Amino acid sequence: MDDARLMKLISLQRHDFLNDFQVVSGLLQLDRAEQARKYLNNAVRKMINLSGVMHLRATEAAAILLAYYSALERGVGVRYEVQADLGGCAVPAEKLAPVLEAILFYSVECLALPENKDRLMEVFIHTADGGYLFGVRYKTAAVPGTVDDVLRDIGDELLLYGASLKQSQVDGQTEIFLFLPAV
């Protein structure tokens, strides 16, 4: 991720953070304490949601995942579930980051299609047998091609490290799984 894009990300996150404080302050000034409490709880959940990403040991991959603003600009919400820090991933972070970015870009493009009304993307990182599982899950009414078409060249490079990429589309739900071996 280049410096200009990273600065934009930091600026947007700062803007979101300040906006949350302004909304809570406004609700309190209007004596809407219960609404302020609910809003504040949602803002805290959002920060907790992002904190797992911020603690990934693959910093380039973390920066890509934190760049969720590209999804928000397209009207797509992102929920993270991070249960592993990728600290022992066999795929170097500088090789992993562009693959994650391509998967997220593909997913956002799918969800941004007018036919897709539910625009929430779940991104998860879990430990798996012998490594890690990075995944993206979302509901779709329409999907332009498969992730294999988008990632063919990049995916081939990951094969050198023992990684594998799978996509499934069943009953209006798309799931993309990237297995990343541990060293």
Side-chain angles (χ1 to χ4, degrees):
M1 174 178 288
D2 63 27
D3 289 346
R5 196 162 163 212
L6 187 57
M7 291 308 296
K8 181 178 180 181
L9 168 63
I10 291 169
S11 175
L12 286 170
Q13 287 182 332
R14 179 183 169 278
H15 177 267
D16 287 349
F17 188 68
L18 290 174
N19 184 59
D20 288 340
F21 276 122
Q22 289 174 338
V23 169
V24 170
S25 176
L27 288 169
L28 290 173
Q29 288 175 9
L30 294 170
D31 289 326
R32 294 182 176 173
E34 184 59 25
Q35 282 180 289
R37 186 186 61 74
K38 287 179 183 178
Y39 190 94
L40 188 56
N41 285 339
N42 285 335
V44 168
R45 266 195 299 280
K46 184 171 63 174
M47 292 303 295
I48 290 170
N49 191 4
L50 288 174
S51 70
V53 175
M54 294 166 59
H55 290 97
L56 288 175
R57 291 190 184 172
T59 55
E60 292 91 341
I64 293 301
L65 292 175
L66 286 173
Y68 68 96
Y69 65 85
S70 63
L72 294 175
E73 289 172 349
R74 302 291 308 268
V76 174
V78 182
R79 181 175 27 221
Y80 296 104
E81 181 184 313
V82 179
Q83 297 177 353
D85 66 10
L86 297 178
C89 185
V91 179
E94 66 275 4
K95 300 285 187 189
L96 179 59
V99 173
L100 299 184
E101 185 170 27
I103 292 170
L104 293 173
F105 180 79
Y106 168 83
S107 300
V108 168
E109 290 300 304
C110 289
L111 284 169
L113 292 172
E115 306 91 289
N116 294 325
K117 303 301 179 209
D118 184 351
R119 294 188 172 172
L120 176 66
M121 176 171 58
E122 296 176 39
V123 177
F124 54 90
I125 301 172
H126 298 172
T127 56
D129 189 28
Y132 306 95
L133 186 65
F134 170 84
V136 179
R137 179 182 303 126
Y138 47 91
K139 293 179 183 173
T140 52
V143 177
T146 66
V147 74
D148 292 332
D149 298 334
V150 175
L151 297 174
R152 189 174 327 273
D153 295 333
I154 297 172
D156 289 344
E157 187 173 334
L158 288 184
L159 290 176
L160 299 172
Y161 300 98
S164 61
L165 179 69
K166 303 272 189 243
Q167 177 183 12
S168 72
Q169 295 169 323
V170 179
D171 296 330
Q173 180 148 319
T174 296
E175 294 181 322
I176 301 168
F177 300 102
L178 177 62
F179 173 74
L180 303 162
V183 289

